[in-house]
Amino acid sequence: MILVQTRRQRTKRSNTKSGERNALIKAIINLPPDSRDVFLLHCMAGLSYERIQERLSITADAVQSHLAEAILLLATLPPTSERLRL
């Protein structure tokens, strides 16, 4: 019985994480294109501001501005229903 409960709990946590991951992916996709590009290059690909500036042919200030916009928009995502219960 304990083993069954553990599996159910694990499945529930896995489903919650999957739902959160999907919500984050959708939010990233819906970012403004320039902010999305800078966010992905910096946070996911690990490129420095200078490398992003060169790759996208934009200024260092634009890189910072786009990254700040992306982070702000992602930080203001509504919490998932699972987080509300915690």
Side-chain angles (χ1 to χ4, degrees):
M1 185 69 161
I2 293 174
L3 183 60
V4 172
Q5 290 174 348
T6 303
R7 285 182 183 165
R8 286 181 185 161
Q9 290 170 348
R10 196 172 27 220
T11 301
K12 184 177 179 181
R13 279 192 304 255
S14 176
N15 289 341
T16 300
K17 287 180 183 180
S18 178
E20 289 177 356
R21 185 175 30 253
N22 289 340
L24 180 59
I25 290 168
K26 286 179 185 177
I28 292 170
I29 289 169
N30 289 321
L31 287 172
D34 292 335
S35 296
R36 181 182 59 233
D37 292 345
V38 171
F39 176 81
L40 291 173
L41 289 172
H42 183 68
C43 295
M44 304 304 228
L47 269 63
S48 67
Y49 286 13
E50 293 80 19
R51 298 278 298 207
I52 296 169
Q53 180 182 348
E54 292 170 4
R55 181 175 276 190
L56 300 180
S57 300
I58 59 176
T59 66
D61 288 341
V63 172
Q64 289 179 335
S65 176
H66 291 309
L67 185 58
E69 179 182 34
I71 291 170
L72 179 66
L73 291 170
L74 294 174
T76 57
L77 286 175
T80 63
S81 59
E82 184 66 24
R83 285 189 195 151
L84 290 173
R85 284 187 256 165
L86 295 178

